């Protein structure tokens, strides 16, 4: 199976600062790269995704960058707010229907 | 309208019992999944199923079995429950290699 690692496992930032979470994967056939956010006691929900033919994608304060050569992609959150506090998961996905989630990053935004 | 629903929300049972968790999606998706999330928040895929094939994560004990009566349902049966099965179980669905839509989760506690 695919090896997926997320770093850091916990991240504490001050409100208004930026946060970056990195995901590395092993399967060069991966072609879909989503990030999910899971708030406490809730289900994971997609916040942004990118496909292998694109290097960067932005949606307001959130962006994802992809480096297929190095096999990693990153989640960038700017102007963090307390409601950004959650656990974030990457889940690189290939054409098959078995995917692997990263170990999660707990982001804490201090007001 | 609820996109992906699961029942029950909470399940408390004794070791050795057999139990089932039901999942339904009304999104018209072709693939459904079961995930286990342990106390450390690791999300592990257990099964992936579409109308063509069932893919089983090889680490899942054969006490766990998915049953799909039709495209909109994927139920999870667990035999001879063990203490280590205590976790939150999420059902999800997707249309091919795309965003996963998760159900609200079922918190299983084995006593």
């Amino acid at each position: 199976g695919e090896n997926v690692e997320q770093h850091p496992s916990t991240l504490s930032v001050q409100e208004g600062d930026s946060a970056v979470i990195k995901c590395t994967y092993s399967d060069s056939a991966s072609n879909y790269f989503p990030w999910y956010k899971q708030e406490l006691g809730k289900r994971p929900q997609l916040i942004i995704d990118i496909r292998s033919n694109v290097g960067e994608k932005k949606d307001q304060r959130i962006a994802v960058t992809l480096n297929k050569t190095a096999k990693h992609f990153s989640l960038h959150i700017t102007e963090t707010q307390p409601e950004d506090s959650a656990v974030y998961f990457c889940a690189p996905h290939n054409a098959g229907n078995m995917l692997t989630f990263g170990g999660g990053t707990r982001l804490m935004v201090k007001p | 309208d609820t996109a992906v629903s699961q029942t029950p929300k909470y399940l408390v049972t004794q070791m050795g019992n057999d139990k089932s968790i039901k999942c339904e999606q009304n999104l018209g998706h072709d693939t459904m999944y079961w995930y286990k999330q342990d106390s450390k928040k690791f999300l592990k895929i257990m099964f992936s199923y579409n109308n063509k094939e069932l893919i089983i994560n090889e680490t899942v004990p054969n006490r766990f079995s998915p049953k799909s009566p039709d495209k909109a349902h994927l139920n999870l049966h667990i035999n001879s429950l063990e203490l280590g099965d205590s976790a939150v179980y999420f059902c999800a669905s997707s249309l091919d290699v795309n965003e996963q839509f998760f159900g609200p989760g079922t918190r299983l506690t084995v006593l």
Side-chain angles (χ1 to χ4, degrees), chain B residues 5 7 22 24 38 47 51 57 62 66 70 73 75 87 90 96 101 108:
Chain B
S5 58
T7 53
K22 293 186 176 180
E24 177 181 1
D38 61 23
F47 305 101
N51 57 359
N57 185 325
N62 57 15
D70 55 58
H73 297 84
N75 304 325
F90 287 100
D96 201 15
F101 288 80
L108 171 65

Side-chain angles (χ1 to χ4, degrees), chain B:
Chain B
D1 282 330
T2 303
V4 182
S5 58
Q6 291 177 231
T7 53
K9 192 174 168 95
Y10 299 97
L11 184 53
V12 181
T13 188
Q14 298 285 334
M15 264 196 314
N17 284 350
D18 303 337
K19 290 292 178 187
S20 295
I21 306 172
K22 293 186 176 180
C23 178
E24 177 181 1
Q25 55 97 4
N26 63 6
L27 297 167
H29 287 168
D30 57 2
T31 308
M32 296 183 73
Y33 310 80
W34 275 105
Y35 290 86
K36 178 181 180 182
Q37 187 168 45
D38 61 23
S39 56
K40 294 183 179 175
K41 304 300 182 190
F42 292 121
L43 257 176
K44 185 177 86 171
I45 190 168
M46 302 174 72
F47 305 101
S48 159
Y49 182 77
N50 62 23
N51 57 359
K52 294 170 192 154
E53 65 178 331
L54 169 68
I55 303 177
I56 302 171
N57 185 325
E58 61 192 17
T59 66
V60 174
N62 57 15
R63 297 181 295 103
F64 291 80
S65 57
K67 299 255 185 341
S68 179
D70 55 58
K71 277 182 65 172
H73 297 84
L74 185 66
N75 304 325
L76 182 66
H77 297 269
I78 317 169
N79 293 329
S80 304
L81 278 155
E82 300 178 359
L83 292 176
D85 298 333
S86 295
V88 178
Y89 292 83
F90 287 100
C91 174
S93 71
S94 72
L95 188 62
D96 201 15
V97 180
N98 284 299
E99 175 182 0
Q100 302 248 325
F101 288 80
F102 285 81
T106 296
R107 183 174 294 276
L108 171 65
T109 304
V110 182
L111 303 173

Side-chain angles (χ1 to χ4, degrees), chain A residues 3-37:
Chain A
N3 289 324
V4 179
E5 292 189 4
Q6 264 183 252
H7 294 282
S9 56
T10 60
L11 180 57
S12 182
V13 300
Q14 211 56 47
E15 183 177 357
D17 287 350
S18 294
V20 181
I21 304 169
K22 185 175 178 179
C23 182
T24 59
Y25 60 95
S26 61
D27 187 352
S28 55
S30 292
N31 56 11
Y32 176 60
F33 306 93
W35 283 97
Y36 291 85
K37 175 183 180 182

Side-chain angles (χ1 to χ4, degrees), chain A residues 25-101:
Chain A
Y25 60 95
S26 61
D27 187 352
S28 55
S30 292
N31 56 11
Y32 176 60
F33 306 93
W35 283 97
Y36 291 85
K37 175 183 180 182
Q38 186 178 25
E39 296 176 1
L40 189 62
K42 303 279 183 67
R43 72 191 83 187
Q45 289 189 289
L46 181 80
I47 54 169
I48 196 165
D49 57 9
I50 196 169
R51 298 201 183 261
S52 56
N53 57 347
V54 177
E56 181 176 358
K57 184 177 175 180
K58 270 188 174 180
D59 182 4
Q60 299 181 13
R61 296 186 298 107
I62 294 171
V64 54
T65 57
L66 171 64
N67 184 329
K68 277 218 81 178
T69 305
K71 290 191 271 188
H72 64 74
F73 62 113
S74 297
L75 174 69
H76 305 255
I77 306 174
T78 58
E79 300 169 34
T80 53
Q81 300 166 4
E83 51 266 36
D84 294 330
S85 296
V87 179
Y88 292 82
F89 295 95
C90 64
H93 199 159
N94 62 24
N97 277 330
M98 189 57 69
L99 63 153
T100 304
F101 274 70

